[in-house]
Amino acid sequence: MFNALQLPSFSNLSAPLASSLVGSGVGGGPTLTPTVKSYHVVGVAAGLVYGSAEHDRCGEPDYYFNVNAWGWRGLVAIGRLHAGGDPLPPPEGVPINATWGNEIIAEAVRWRGDILATIGRSLINTTTNPHVPFFLPSVARSGQPPWTAMWQSINSSYDNFRYWPELLAAQFLPSEIEAAVLRFRGERCGTLAGMSSFVDHLDDMPSEGFGLGHLRQNDIASFLLQLEGHLANYQSRGTFGTTEQFSLYNLNDERWRDYLPESPELSVDLCTPSELQVALLTTWQLVLHDPDAPVVWLA
């Protein structure tokens, strides 16, 4: 993981836009502009941002933890760009304001505290030990029943294939909650040979966050199963083409898997997030950078 704002070609285009999302809040402290971010005030979701978690489900906005975690990560990246907290110098031509950057980082610290408090109100602990995390819903919700299986419904499947891996990829969660998410998914049929289940088929599109979580938890066996399962089964052998989702079945008794009939999009080859998984996981197993500490792990 790295701060893409450090890349000159990216920064010169995006840093001014990203920085424009951050304005002056009440009392002079920075906050995202009201059109972009509106903190919830009271209740289970106090301090969280409301909105959609992904384009297929724009009609179901909520207080999603993955959205808030990546919002926090973005604030941290912008703050460090200005405050000088990154190991690399800022790109040439990007105006830097260290005071403003430190204010943004302070806002990110406050936001992180709000998100963690909401996670605490939503988290279900084990019945045998009230201090051990068991199930974290993808949205701010008190008392949501844990999923029986990760493929049992559309909602559970979206947790398994999209919301949880994105939450883990933000590297936001405390280690014990990160471990609980991975453990729950593994115990509730969330994978087949390391690939992510989705109702009656598989979907590995953005699942690299799970691989990152396995590495952070030093669960090398699960990490390698995900990497090699995706490489051997999800990608087309010999061509390395990868679809967004794929079927488990071969109803016509051919020498290839069936296409998913619901939408041609699901079986279109060369899906970028799926294609990137082997490259990302292979990189991380050799070199992994901690985004919040001056630490680099080498194989």
Side-chain angles (χ1 to χ4, degrees), residues 126-187:
T126 63
T127 56
T128 56
N129 189 332
H131 303 293
V132 176
F134 174 64
F135 172 71
L136 178 67
S138 58
V139 298
R141 195 84 80 239
S142 178
Q144 177 180 320
W147 304 120
T148 302
M150 297 312 304
W151 46 261
Q152 75 181 68
S153 67
I154 289 293
N155 289 335
S156 64
S157 293
Y158 266 92
D159 281 3
N160 190 50
F161 111 96
R162 185 68 181 259
Y163 305 148
W164 282 352
E166 287 188 351
L167 176 58
L168 268 59
Q171 300 184 72
F172 175 89
L173 292 175
S175 179
E176 65 275 11
I177 300 179
E178 179 182 70
V181 170
L182 292 166
R183 183 170 57 248
F184 184 91
R185 174 180 184 256
E187 294 173 350

Side-chain angles (χ1 to χ4, degrees), residues 245-263:
Q245 303 177 25
F246 80 70
S247 173
L248 290 168
Y249 310 110
N250 180 359
L251 301 180
N252 294 323
D253 195 28
E254 301 287 354
R255 292 179 181 270
W256 50 80
R257 293 184 296 263
D258 294 338
Y259 279 102
L260 293 167
E262 295 86 355
S263 167

